[in-house]
């Protein structure tokens, strides 16, 4: 069965904004990433080693999930320009990626960096995505869920649990300290007209609780300080998680 036939991807429009400003925030994030996509790609290079470290932790889980001859379908939420995460994923045997990003400019860059026969690109807010249950062997969300309001983070984790096959895997990172929501009109030294950047976090303890409530068994939980530039450590802490969806999902 083809990937398109198996997934039957739909862009659902039934989701309500998490708060009155939610859609304005999403538009602001999209506008900003469209404007600074190339600059952002260069800025993220110091974090490649961290991203690849956890992707390498995920890789053995992918190879043992299906039979050796079976295609492996992975959903990436917030793929950006496809470097290095989507490139890593598509280099794994039998892996096909559905790559989502809110920014059309980011996806245009990704299309230049990735093999067209291994990737399906889906532009838009991840909260409007819908897939049949048990569609994916893994979901990857690196520096993307942090842009959702807190309640949307909980909602997307519930949906991810449903989209994953039993025994499927989630690789994601979250803010390690609680943040009810913060917005900046200027980011990376640039103010984009109509743009903004937004972050929120439940904090590590509550995030782990939500994951467990949604049927995940956490295998790896690391608190990491991010190095934005060589020789400089960012004080923002991220929690990196690799978790397995178990059969029993809390009601």
């Amino acid at each position: 069965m083809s990937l398109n036939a198996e997934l039957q991807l739909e862009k659902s429009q039934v989701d309500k904004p998490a708060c009155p400003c939610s859609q304005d925030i999403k538009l602001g994030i999209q506008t900003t990433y469209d404007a600074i996509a190339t600059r952002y790609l260069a800025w993220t290079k110091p974090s490649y080693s961290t991203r690849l470290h956890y992707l390498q932790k995920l890789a053995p889980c992918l190879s043992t999930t299906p039979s050796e001859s079976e295609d492996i379908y992975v959903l990436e939420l917030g793929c950006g320009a496809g470097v290095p995460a989507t490139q890593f994923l598509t280099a794994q045997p039998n892996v096909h990626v559905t790559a989502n990003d809110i920014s059309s400019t980011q996806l245009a860059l990704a299309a230049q960096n990735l093999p067209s026969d291994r990737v399906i690109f889906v532009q838009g807010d991840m909260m409007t995505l819908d897939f049949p249950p048990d569609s994916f062997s893994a979901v990857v969300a690196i520096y993307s869920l942090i842009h959702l309001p807190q309640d949307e983070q909980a909602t997307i984790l519930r949906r991810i649990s449903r989209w994953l096959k039993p025994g499927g895997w989630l690789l994601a990172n979250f803010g390690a300290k609680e943040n009810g929501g913060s917005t900046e009109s200027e980011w990376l030294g640039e103010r984009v007209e109509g743009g903004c950047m937004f972050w929120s976090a439940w904090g590590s303890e509550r995030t782990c609780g939500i994951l467990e409530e949604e049927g995940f068994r956490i295998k790896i939980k690391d608190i990491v300080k991010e190095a934005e530039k060589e020789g400089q450590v960012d004080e923002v802490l991220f929690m990196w998680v690799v978790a397995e969806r178990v059969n029993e999902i809390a009601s």
Side-chain angles (χ1 to χ4, degrees), residues 66-94:
S67 67
E68 292 184 1
S69 61
E70 185 179 345
D71 285 335
I72 302 167
Y73 296 115
V74 176
L75 171 64
E76 186 178 8
L77 299 172
C79 67
V83 183
T86 328
Q87 283 184 338
F88 178 91
L89 292 167
T90 55
Q92 307 310 302
N94 303 325

Short mmCIF file of all heavy atoms in Angstrom, two decimals, residues 66-94:
data_model
loop_
_atom_site.label_atom_id
_atom_site.label_comp_id
_atom_site.label_asym_id
_atom_site.label_seq_id
_atom_site.Cartn_x
_atom_site.Cartn_y
_atom_site.Cartn_z
N PRO A 66 9.25 -2.66 12.76
CA PRO A 66 8.60 -3.53 11.78
C PRO A 66 9.54 -4.65 11.34
O PRO A 66 10.66 -4.76 11.83
CB PRO A 66 8.34 -2.57 10.62
CG PRO A 66 9.50 -1.64 10.68
CD PRO A 66 9.98 -1.58 12.10
N SER A 67 9.06 -5.49 10.40
CA SER A 67 9.95 -6.49 9.81
C SER A 67 10.96 -5.80 8.91
O SER A 67 10.79 -4.64 8.53
CB SER A 67 9.12 -7.49 9.00
OG SER A 67 8.55 -6.84 7.87
N GLU A 68 12.03 -6.49 8.58
CA GLU A 68 13.12 -5.88 7.82
C GLU A 68 12.67 -5.37 6.46
O GLU A 68 13.25 -4.43 5.94
CB GLU A 68 14.27 -6.88 7.66
CG GLU A 68 14.97 -7.21 8.98
CD GLU A 68 16.16 -8.12 8.76
OE1 GLU A 68 16.42 -8.47 7.59
OE2 GLU A 68 16.83 -8.48 9.74
N SER A 69 11.65 -5.99 5.87
CA SER A 69 11.21 -5.60 4.54
C SER A 69 10.08 -4.58 4.54
O SER A 69 9.67 -4.10 3.49
CB SER A 69 10.76 -6.84 3.76
OG SER A 69 9.68 -7.46 4.43
N GLU A 70 9.58 -4.22 5.69
CA GLU A 70 8.42 -3.34 5.78
C GLU A 70 8.84 -1.88 5.80
O GLU A 70 9.80 -1.50 6.47
CB GLU A 70 7.63 -3.66 7.06
CG GLU A 70 6.33 -2.88 7.21
CD GLU A 70 5.60 -3.26 8.48
OE1 GLU A 70 5.96 -4.29 9.08
OE2 GLU A 70 4.69 -2.51 8.86
N ASP A 71 8.10 -1.06 5.06
CA ASP A 71 8.36 0.37 5.10
C ASP A 71 8.04 0.94 6.48
O ASP A 71 7.10 0.49 7.14
CB ASP A 71 7.53 1.10 4.04
CG ASP A 71 8.06 0.89 2.63
OD1 ASP A 71 9.27 0.60 2.49
OD2 ASP A 71 7.27 1.00 1.68
N ILE A 72 8.81 1.94 6.88
CA ILE A 72 8.66 2.57 8.18
C ILE A 72 8.22 4.01 7.95
O ILE A 72 8.90 4.77 7.25
CB ILE A 72 9.99 2.55 8.96
CG1 ILE A 72 10.49 1.11 9.14
CG2 ILE A 72 9.84 3.24 10.31
CD1 ILE A 72 11.93 1.03 9.61
N TYR A 73 7.10 4.39 8.53
CA TYR A 73 6.57 5.73 8.33
C TYR A 73 6.79 6.57 9.60
O TYR A 73 6.42 6.16 10.69
CB TYR A 73 5.09 5.67 7.97
CG TYR A 73 4.85 4.98 6.64
CD1 TYR A 73 4.16 3.77 6.58
CD2 TYR A 73 5.35 5.54 5.48
CE1 TYR A 73 3.96 3.14 5.36
CE2 TYR A 73 5.15 4.92 4.26
CZ TYR A 73 4.47 3.72 4.20
OH TYR A 73 4.28 3.09 3.01
N VAL A 74 7.39 7.72 9.39
CA VAL A 74 7.73 8.63 10.49
C VAL A 74 7.09 9.99 10.21
O VAL A 74 7.14 10.49 9.08
CB VAL A 74 9.26 8.80 10.63
CG1 VAL A 74 9.60 9.81 11.71
CG2 VAL A 74 9.91 7.45 10.93
N LEU A 75 6.50 10.58 11.23
CA LEU A 75 5.97 11.94 11.15
C LEU A 75 6.94 12.87 11.85
O LEU A 75 7.32 12.62 13.00
CB LEU A 75 4.60 12.01 11.83
CG LEU A 75 3.99 13.41 12.02
CD1 LEU A 75 3.71 14.07 10.68
CD2 LEU A 75 2.73 13.32 12.88
N GLU A 76 7.34 13.95 11.16
CA GLU A 76 8.17 14.96 11.79
C GLU A 76 7.39 16.26 11.88
O GLU A 76 6.97 16.82 10.86
CB GLU A 76 9.47 15.18 11.03
CG GLU A 76 10.40 16.14 11.76
CD GLU A 76 11.73 16.35 11.07
OE1 GLU A 76 11.91 15.87 9.93
OE2 GLU A 76 12.58 17.04 11.67
N LEU A 77 7.20 16.75 13.08
CA LEU A 77 6.47 17.99 13.33
C LEU A 77 7.48 19.11 13.52
O LEU A 77 8.27 19.09 14.46
CB LEU A 77 5.60 17.84 14.58
CG LEU A 77 4.52 16.75 14.52
CD1 LEU A 77 3.86 16.58 15.87
CD2 LEU A 77 3.49 17.07 13.45
N GLY A 78 7.45 20.08 12.61
CA GLY A 78 8.42 21.16 12.67
C GLY A 78 9.75 20.75 12.07
O GLY A 78 10.79 20.83 12.71
N CYS A 79 9.73 20.35 10.81
CA CYS A 79 10.94 19.81 10.17
C CYS A 79 11.91 20.91 9.78
O CYS A 79 13.09 20.63 9.51
CB CYS A 79 10.57 19.00 8.94
SG CYS A 79 9.85 19.96 7.58
N GLY A 80 11.46 22.18 9.71
CA GLY A 80 12.35 23.25 9.28
C GLY A 80 12.90 22.99 7.89
O GLY A 80 12.18 22.54 6.99
N ALA A 81 14.18 23.25 7.71
CA ALA A 81 14.83 23.05 6.41
C ALA A 81 15.27 21.62 6.17
O ALA A 81 15.95 21.33 5.18
CB ALA A 81 16.02 24.00 6.29
N GLY A 82 14.90 20.72 7.09
CA GLY A 82 15.20 19.31 6.90
C GLY A 82 16.60 18.90 7.31
O GLY A 82 17.01 17.76 7.05
N VAL A 83 17.33 19.82 7.94
CA VAL A 83 18.72 19.57 8.32
C VAL A 83 18.88 19.80 9.82
O VAL A 83 18.46 20.85 10.33
CB VAL A 83 19.66 20.53 7.56
CG1 VAL A 83 21.11 20.23 7.89
CG2 VAL A 83 19.43 20.44 6.05
N PRO A 84 19.46 18.84 10.56
CA PRO A 84 19.93 17.55 10.09
C PRO A 84 18.92 16.42 10.30
O PRO A 84 19.14 15.31 9.84
CB PRO A 84 21.15 17.31 10.98
CG PRO A 84 20.72 17.89 12.30
CD PRO A 84 19.89 19.10 11.96
N ALA A 85 17.78 16.70 10.97
CA ALA A 85 16.93 15.61 11.43
C ALA A 85 16.29 14.82 10.28
O ALA A 85 16.39 13.59 10.23
CB ALA A 85 15.84 16.15 12.36
N THR A 86 15.62 15.51 9.37
CA THR A 86 14.95 14.79 8.29
C THR A 86 15.96 14.08 7.39
O THR A 86 15.70 12.97 6.91
CB THR A 86 14.09 15.74 7.44
OG1 THR A 86 13.57 16.78 8.26
CG2 THR A 86 12.94 14.99 6.79
N GLN A 87 17.11 14.70 7.17
CA GLN A 87 18.17 14.04 6.41
C GLN A 87 18.58 12.73 7.09
O GLN A 87 18.76 11.71 6.44
CB GLN A 87 19.38 14.95 6.27
CG GLN A 87 19.23 16.04 5.23
CD GLN A 87 20.50 16.87 5.07
OE1 GLN A 87 21.34 16.92 5.97
NE2 GLN A 87 20.63 17.53 3.93
N PHE A 88 18.75 12.78 8.41
CA PHE A 88 19.11 11.58 9.16
C PHE A 88 18.04 10.51 9.02
O PHE A 88 18.34 9.33 8.76
CB PHE A 88 19.33 11.92 10.63
CG PHE A 88 19.67 10.74 11.49
CD1 PHE A 88 20.99 10.38 11.70
CD2 PHE A 88 18.67 9.98 12.10
CE1 PHE A 88 21.31 9.28 12.50
CE2 PHE A 88 18.97 8.89 12.89
CZ PHE A 88 20.30 8.53 13.09
N LEU A 89 16.78 10.89 9.19
CA LEU A 89 15.70 9.92 9.14
C LEU A 89 15.60 9.25 7.78
O LEU A 89 15.43 8.04 7.68
CB LEU A 89 14.38 10.61 9.50
CG LEU A 89 14.24 11.08 10.95
CD1 LEU A 89 13.06 12.03 11.10
CD2 LEU A 89 14.10 9.89 11.89
N THR A 90 15.68 10.04 6.70
CA THR A 90 15.54 9.47 5.36
C THR A 90 16.74 8.63 4.96
O THR A 90 16.66 7.87 3.98
CB THR A 90 15.31 10.57 4.31
OG1 THR A 90 16.36 11.54 4.38
CG2 THR A 90 13.98 11.25 4.54
N ALA A 91 17.84 8.74 5.71
CA ALA A 91 19.01 7.90 5.44
C ALA A 91 18.88 6.52 6.08
O ALA A 91 19.68 5.63 5.79
CB ALA A 91 20.28 8.59 5.94
N GLN A 92 17.87 6.34 6.94
CA GLN A 92 17.67 5.04 7.59
C GLN A 92 16.93 4.09 6.63
O GLN A 92 16.08 4.53 5.86
CB GLN A 92 16.88 5.20 8.88
CG GLN A 92 17.45 6.22 9.85
CD GLN A 92 18.93 6.03 10.12
OE1 GLN A 92 19.34 4.96 10.57
NE2 GLN A 92 19.72 7.05 9.85
N PRO A 93 17.24 2.81 6.68
CA PRO A 93 16.62 1.85 5.77
C PRO A 93 15.09 1.86 5.87
O PRO A 93 14.53 1.83 6.97
CB PRO A 93 17.19 0.50 6.22
CG PRO A 93 18.47 0.84 6.91
CD PRO A 93 18.24 2.17 7.56
N ASN A 94 14.43 1.94 4.72
CA ASN A 94 12.97 1.79 4.60
C ASN A 94 12.16 2.92 5.22
O ASN A 94 10.94 2.83 5.30
CB ASN A 94 12.50 0.46 5.21
CG ASN A 94 13.17 -0.74 4.60
OD1 ASN A 94 13.47 -0.76 3.41
ND2 ASN A 94 13.44 -1.75 5.41
#
